């Protein structure tokens, strides 16, 4: 009889795994019962249909890209997806659909545009904003004062800011963020009563 060692799985993944922030998802009450669509101007979910708690940290192993890409043959894989192997003793083990997951051990660059006074809310909280620029009336590049960002993604401006309704660009770095898309088809959450690592597929949150 095959004996799978739950403690060995957990120990292995704890040693090789990465740190993640897991935020549990909750359906927003603004979802309409007949269509399931959220209100676009909802102040709680901002039109996403879900809101999330503050989150807790846990460890999970990242499955190799080559192994995870096998899911593409089933039409279940998109570019940018990652897959996790979660040990049974990790806080992430109870992760479910639409839950948010942030990779705490790495960052990535971003450079995006907004319009001042129109859409000044980021859908993520950057680790650092390095540069703020916009074009003046002569289409010359203007360097602004880098704004602060509150936990809700609202930009807090200093003394040098873009004119109202002017397009501006923010450049910096952020923590990659995903949402739980599905359990992997080969997932075996338990064996003879022993909790084994879960495999879940994550998709980029902005999608």
């Amino acid at each position: 009889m095959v004996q799978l060692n739950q403690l060995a799985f957990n120990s292995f993944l704890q040693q090789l795994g990465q740190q993640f922030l897991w935020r549990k998802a909750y359906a927003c009450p603004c979802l309409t019962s007949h269509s399931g669509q959220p209100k676009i101007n909802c102040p709680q979910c901002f039109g996403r249909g879900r809101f999330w708690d503050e989150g807790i940290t846990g460890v999970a192993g990242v499955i190799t890209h080559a192994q995870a890409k096998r899911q593409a043959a089933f039409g279940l894989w998109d570019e940018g997806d990652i897959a996790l192997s979660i040990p049974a003793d990790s806080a992430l083990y109870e992760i479910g659909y639409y839950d948010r997951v942030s990779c705490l051990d790495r960052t990535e660059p971003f450079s995006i545009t907004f319009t001042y006074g129109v859409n000044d809310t980021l859908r993520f909280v950057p680790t650092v904003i390095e540069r703020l620029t916009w074009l003046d009336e002569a289409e010359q590049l203007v360097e602004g004062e880098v704004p602060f960002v509150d936990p809700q993604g609202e930009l807090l401006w200093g003394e040098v800011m873009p004119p109202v309704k002017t397009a501006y660009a923010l450049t910096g770095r952020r923590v990659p963020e995903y949402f739980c898309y599905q359990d992997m088809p080969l997932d075996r959450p338990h064996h003879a009563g022993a909790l084994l690592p879960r495999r879940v597929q994550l998709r980029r949150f902005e999608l």
Side-chain angles (χ1 to χ4, degrees), residues 7-19:
L7 296 179
F9 275 123
N10 293 343
S11 176
F12 177 75
L13 289 171
Q14 289 287 348
Q15 292 179 36
L16 298 181
Q18 301 179 25
Q19 290 284 336

Side-chain angles (χ1 to χ4, degrees), residues 168-183:
Y168 62 91
L170 288 177
T171 300
R173 298 193 69 84
R174 65 179 180 178
V175 171
E177 191 168 28
Y178 301 82
F179 71 93
C180 183
Y181 179 61
Q182 65 177 358
D183 283 304

Side-chain angles (χ1 to χ4, degrees), residues 1-182:
M1 179 178 176
V2 177
Q3 295 290 332
L4 299 180
N5 191 319
Q6 174 187 346
L7 296 179
F9 275 123
N10 293 343
S11 176
F12 177 75
L13 289 171
Q14 289 287 348
Q15 292 179 36
L16 298 181
Q18 301 179 25
Q19 290 284 336
F20 294 89
L21 175 67
W22 166 44
R23 299 176 61 188
K24 186 175 178 59
Y26 300 89
C28 184
C30 78
L31 290 168
T32 57
S33 58
H34 60 277
S35 68
Q37 294 299 311
K39 293 182 179 179
I40 296 178
N41 59 348
C42 176
Q44 302 302 321
C45 72
F46 305 103
R48 297 167 176 164
R50 297 287 189 280
F51 62 91
W52 296 266
D53 61 20
E54 294 299 318
I56 55 177
T57 58
V59 174
V62 180
I63 297 175
T64 62
H65 189 66
Q67 181 180 0
K69 285 285 283 185
R70 295 173 186 170
Q71 300 299 109
F74 302 98
L76 301 174
W77 194 265
D78 281 350
E79 192 65 33
D81 289 1
I82 65 172
L84 301 183
S85 183
I86 308 173
D89 58 353
S90 172
L92 275 70
Y93 196 73
E94 300 297 330
I95 192 172
Y97 296 124
Y98 302 115
D99 290 357
R100 290 170 71 166
V101 180
S102 301
C103 304
L104 300 181
D105 289 337
R106 65 185 179 95
T107 62
E108 62 184 14
F110 73 87
S111 191
I112 51 181
T113 58
F114 295 91
T115 302
Y116 182 74
V118 177
N119 57 341
D120 296 312
T121 301
L122 301 182
R123 290 181 177 268
F124 58 89
V125 178
T127 56
V128 62
I129 296 179
E130 302 165 347
R131 196 177 188 189
L132 163 67
T133 58
W134 66 87
L135 299 177
D136 63 15
E137 294 180 355
E139 296 192 348
Q140 297 298 307
L141 194 66
V142 179
E143 296 279 352
E145 181 180 343
V146 172
F148 293 98
V149 184
D150 71 12
Q152 285 71 46
E154 294 287 344
L155 298 177
L156 308 176
W157 298 96
E159 296 181 358
V160 183
M161 64 189 74
V164 175
K165 295 186 178 181
T166 296
Y168 62 91
L170 288 177
T171 300
R173 298 193 69 84
R174 65 179 180 178
V175 171
E177 191 168 28
Y178 301 82
F179 71 93
C180 183
Y181 179 61
Q182 65 177 358

